[in-house]
């Protein structure tokens, strides 16, 4: 019976996620669900990305944390519209939380929405939010074994960011081993190796995001046959 209840909770979540997606699509917004361990640099990635995006791509942010407004205050200090979700005890965001957060953002002024999930490499991947893209952020100090230990998260990602490469010389991090682990569970997601602190490698990530925005803006072309 326990399994049945869990399935019902998930399908209720999926229904709200579909409503969120419709709302985002109607507003012409591309939403990216950023998932990572605590401290991998999700907020840093959002800020470093915002600095490099053209003015024509205004961003908005939903910050998910167990407690505090620290990240939201940091994002707001950069003039970016942001709303903070405090999950209380919950270790992931769910679709109803996003539905509430969307009410609090000026959607008409946003083209790219970052949803910073709660720092956790397990269950955030299980809960659809209505976002268009799932991105996992790993970082050098966490070690090169993350794709092996958390395959579900990496398998479901549309792109993977490896942050904090400026400290590669300090840590015993085997990049080839990390990438092999990633490819075992996800052959196709692009891997962006970068440092938010130095800015190295960020251009490739930003270009990828801009292409995803372009893909969405294109009207779907009916096939000739
Ligand atoms: Mg953060
Ligand atoms: Zn959770």
């Amino acid at each position: 019976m326990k399994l049945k209840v869990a399935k019902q909770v998930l399908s209720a979540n999926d229904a709200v996620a579909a409503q969120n997606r419709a709302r985002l699509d109607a507003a012409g917004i591309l939403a990216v669900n950023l998932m990572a361990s605590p401290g991998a640099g999700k907020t840093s990635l959002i800020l470093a990305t915002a600095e490099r995006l053209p003015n024509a791509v205004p961003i908005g942010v939903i910050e998910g944390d167990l407690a505090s407004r620290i990240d939201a205050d940091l994002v707001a200090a950069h003039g970016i519209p942001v709303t903070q979700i405090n999950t209380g005890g919950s270790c992931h965001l769910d679709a109803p939380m996003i539905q509430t957060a969307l009410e609090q953002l000026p959607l008409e002024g946003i083209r790219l929405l970052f949803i910073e999930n709660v720092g956790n490499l397990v269950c955030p991947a299980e809960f659809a939010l209505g976002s268009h893209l799932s991105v996992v952020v790993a970082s050098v100090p966490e070690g090169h074994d993350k794709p092996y230990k958390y395959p579900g998260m990496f398998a479901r990602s549309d792109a993977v960011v490896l942050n904090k490469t400026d400290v590669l010389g300090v840590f015993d991090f085997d990049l080839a081993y990390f990438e092999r682990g990633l490819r075992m569970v996800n052959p196709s997601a692009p891997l962006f190796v970068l440092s938010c602190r130095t800015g190295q490698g960020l251009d490739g990530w930003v270009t990828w995001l801009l292409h995803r925005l372009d893909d969405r803006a294109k009207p779907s072309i009916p096939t000739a046959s």
Side-chain angles (χ1 to χ4, degrees):
M1 287 314 275
K2 205 176 170 190
L3 183 67
K4 197 175 172 190
V5 171
K7 272 187 182 160
Q8 281 168 357
V9 170
L10 276 179
S11 64
N13 184 78
D14 286 351
V16 179
Q19 290 169 23
N20 291 345
R21 173 68 72 91
R23 182 110 194 258
L24 291 162
D25 284 343
I29 294 172
L30 181 75
V32 181
N33 182 12
L34 280 182
M35 293 171 284
S37 311
K42 297 183 295 299
T43 312
S44 302
L45 181 66
I46 290 168
L47 293 176
T49 305
E51 269 177 29
R52 286 163 178 82
L53 285 168
N55 290 336
V57 184
I59 77 164
V61 177
I62 296 173
E63 282 290 343
D65 284 291
L66 292 177
S68 90
R69 284 194 49 87
I70 294 170
D71 286 351
D73 288 346
L74 190 61
V75 170
H78 286 74
I80 298 166
V82 57
T83 186
Q84 177 82 53
I85 298 170
N86 282 146
T87 59
S90 180
C91 48
H92 57 266
L93 295 177
D94 62 28
M97 293 177 194
I98 299 305
Q99 188 172 48
T100 303
L102 290 177
E103 302 285 345
Q104 295 159 7
L105 282 171
L107 297 184
E108 64 289 345
I110 295 171
R111 279 202 67 203
L112 180 59
L113 176 68
F114 286 111
I115 302 171
E116 182 177 334
N117 219 306
V118 178
N120 171 359
L121 282 177
V122 188
C123 47
E126 315 271 338
F127 287 81
L129 304 180
S131 55
H132 302 88
L133 298 169
S134 294
V135 174
V136 183
V137 185
S139 69
V140 168
E142 295 169 55
H144 47 221
D145 55 9
K146 286 291 172 292
Y148 300 86
K149 290 189 172 175
Y150 302 95
M153 176 66 73
F154 285 88
R156 289 172 208 197
S157 61
D158 298 299
V160 174
V161 170
L162 178 66
N163 186 24
K164 306 192 189 182
T165 53
D166 51 299
V167 295
L168 262 173
V170 185
F171 289 87
D172 190 17
F173 189 99
D174 184 340
L175 181 55
Y177 180 76
F178 177 88
E179 191 159 9
R180 274 202 305 280
L182 170 62
R183 293 305 166 224
M184 279 168 55
V185 295
N186 191 329
S188 59
L191 169 63
F192 299 103
V193 178
L194 55 80
S195 165
C196 292
R197 197 164 73 88
T198 66
Q200 194 174 29
L202 270 159
D203 288 349
W205 155 249
V206 171
T207 301
W208 181 79
L209 277 177
L210 290 173
H211 281 140
R212 300 289 76 72
L213 274 163
D214 283 349
D215 290 347
R216 287 205 62 236
K218 278 176 204 146
S220 54
I221 301 157
T223 50
S225 58

